[in-house]
Amino acid sequence: QESTHIYTKAEVSSHTSPETGIWVTLGSEVFDVTEFVDLHPGGPSKLMLAAGGPLEPFWALYAVHDQSHVRELLAQYKIGELNPEDKVAPTVETSDPYANDPVRHPALKVNSQRPFNAEPPPELLTENYITPNPIFFTRNHLPVPNVDPDTYRLHVVGAPGGQSLSLSLDDLHKFPKYEITVTLQCAGNRRSEMTQVKEVKGLEWRTGAISTAHWGGARLCDVLAQAGHQLCETEAHVCFEGLDSDPTGTAYGASIPLARAMDPEAEVLLAYEMNGQPLPRDHGFPVRVVVPGVVGARHVKWLGRVSVQPEESYSHWQRRDYKGFSPSVDWDTVDFDSAPSIQELPVQSAITEPQDGETVESGEVTIRGYAWSGGGRAVIRVDVSLDGGLTWQVAELDGEEQRPRKAWAWRLWQLQVPVPAGQKELNIVCKAVDDGYNVQPDTVAPIWNLRGVLSNAWHRVHVHVAP
Ligand code: HEM
Ligand code: MTE
Ligand code: MO
C-alpha cells in the first residue's frame, strides 16, 4: 500500500477556493471537499467558513455533525494526514499586554486584533435566535483582564447613611436570580455603511455588532438597595468601572441614570451567566452589567466598582465617545458636551441572507435578517422590498414574542418570495417598525455623524439572479 500523504498546516490553509481546491482538517486528517461544497446540506457558505482549517470549532456549534453518517461521508474525501509537528500549540509571548487574551472562535470576522473586536459572519448571525457564546460579537477597548473568581470582589459604594459592600461571587449568588433574554448592540453596528458616505473614525463593523444571549444574575436594584441607595428626586447616575485598564491605570467606565438602575421593570442585571454558562472571558468574566434596551457601551464587563454620583461617569467613553451629532459637525467643530450620551438605541434591522453581491437562484428567494429596537420597544413589522423600495412585502417574524415595554431581544425574520420572471438583479431592502411606530431612515447621508454611530438606515443588498 502507498504511504499516506503528509501535509503542513500552511499547505492546508492555502486551499480555500475552487481553483486551488477546498481543504479542511478534522483531528489529524486532511480532506479535499471541493466536490462536496455545493452539496452541503447546511449550505456552501457555511462550509466555506472552515475552508483551509479545522472543522472542530464549527462542528462544535452544530451538533448535527456528531453522527456516523456525517463522518463516513467526510471519510470519502480524505487525502492524507497533518504534519504531526503542526499540532504543537503555539507558545505565548508574555511581554505583550494582549498575550493573555482568550483563544477566539475562527468564524469571527476580526475588525481589530488588539484590542480584540470581531463580529459573527451574517450567515451564522441569524442561524440561532440565541447567539452561541463563542460567536457572540466582541467589543473590547483594552486587553482582557484575567480575574480570579475566588478573590474577585465587587465594590459597591454605599449611600450616605448606608453601607459600602464588597461582594464575592458567592455573595452575588445569594441575591434572587433573574434570567432574561437581551440583545446587545454596539453603537457602531453597521458603521461601514456610513464610511461609504464619508470617512468616519471607528471600527469597520458590518451588520454583526449585535448578538442575543440569555443572561442570568442579580438585579442591580437589589444590590443598590442593600447599599442603602434609593431613587432620589434629583438627577443621579450609577457609574460602573471595569477591571480592564490602559497603561495609565484608567479603567473602562460608563454610567446609566439612577432612575433606570432602580426601576425593577428596567431589569438591569449584574450578570454572572450567559446562556447557562459562567460568562466567557471576552464577555466580562466573572460579572458584567446588562442594561436591557440600552447601547452596548453601558454594559460594563469585568465589573469592579459601582457608585452613585450626581454626574454621569467622567470616563472617556461616556463623555467623549458614543454620542450623535449633526452631519455637518466635524472634528474641528465638535463639542462633545453639547450632546447627550447615547442610552436607548433607535429601531434597527438588517438582511443577513442573501449577502451583497451574491448570485441567487431564479424561481424563489429566501430573505432573512434581524430586527430590534431600543428601550424595550417591540418590533411590530419588517417590510422587505426587492425593487429598491418601490414595492414592499411584510416579512414573517420568528423568535420569541416580546413582553410589552420589555422587548429586550431581537426578532429574526424571513420572507420567501418568487423572483419576478426575467429579473437579472434584485435590490433587496429591509426596514423595521417598532411599537412606537418609529421607522428607520431611508438613506445614510442625512444621519451621517463623525463617529459613525447610530447607523440604522434601510439595509440594502444587491444580488444577481442566476440565468
Ligand atoms: C448539516 C456535512 C461543514 C453547518 C450538515 C449535514 C451534513 C453535513 C451531512 C446534514 C446532517 C443531517 O441532517 O443529518 C458537513 C461536512 C462538512 C461540513 C462534510 C465539512 C467538510 C460545516 C461547517 C458548518 C456547517 C463548517 C458551519 C460553519 C451546518 C449546518 C447544518 C449542517 C448549520 C444544518 C443544516 C440544516 O439545519 O438544514 N453538514 N458539514 N457544516 N451543517 Fe455541515
Ligand atoms: N466593558 C469593559 N469593561 N470594557 C470594554 O471595552 N466595551 C463596551 C461594553 N462593555 C467594554 C465594556 C462596548 S462598546 C460594547 S458594544 C459591549 O461591551 C460589547 O459587549 P460584548 O463584547 O460582550 O459583545
Ligand atoms: Mo460598543
Side-chain angles (χ1 to χ4, degrees), residues 334-411:
V334 64
D335 170 12
F336 270 97
D337 292 328
S338 69
S341 61
I342 301 171
Q343 296 281 342
E344 294 183 1
L345 285 170
V347 61
Q348 175 70 288
S349 70
I351 299 159
T352 54
E353 183 188 326
Q355 292 179 45
D356 200 47
E358 221 177 273
T359 300
V360 301
E361 295 302 313
S362 55
E364 196 174 59
V365 61
T366 303
I367 305 162
R368 283 181 224 280
Y370 63 76
W372 180 77
S373 191
R377 290 176 287 276
V379 167
I380 58 164
R381 202 181 77 226
V382 173
D383 298 327
V384 177
S385 171
L386 299 187
D387 54 15
L390 293 174
T391 61
W392 299 90
Q393 301 182 57
V394 176
E396 185 187 320
L397 295 181
D398 302 331
E400 289 169 16
E401 194 69 45
Q402 298 287 296
R403 295 169 296 163
R405 287 170 290 107
K406 293 183 192 171
W408 310 135
W410 65 11
R411 301 298 297 266

Side-chain angles (χ1 to χ4, degrees), residues 7-9 12 24-31 52-57 59 71 74 78 80-88:
Y7 299 103
T8 63
K9 236 178 170 168
V12 173
V24 293
T25 64
L26 188 69
S28 60
E29 299 179 301
V30 181
F31 307 89
L55 285 170
E56 283 89 340
W59 282 15
R71 302 297 162 119
L74 185 63
K78 182 167 173 182
E81 297 273 337
L82 259 187
N83 181 1
E85 278 166 35
D86 275 351
K87 281 179 278 177
V88 180

Side-chain angles (χ1 to χ4, degrees), residues 432-448:
V433 186
D434 74 16
D435 64 12
Y437 283 100
N438 296 299
V439 295
Q440 299 176 241
D442 55 349
T443 53
V444 183
I447 58 164
W448 184 97

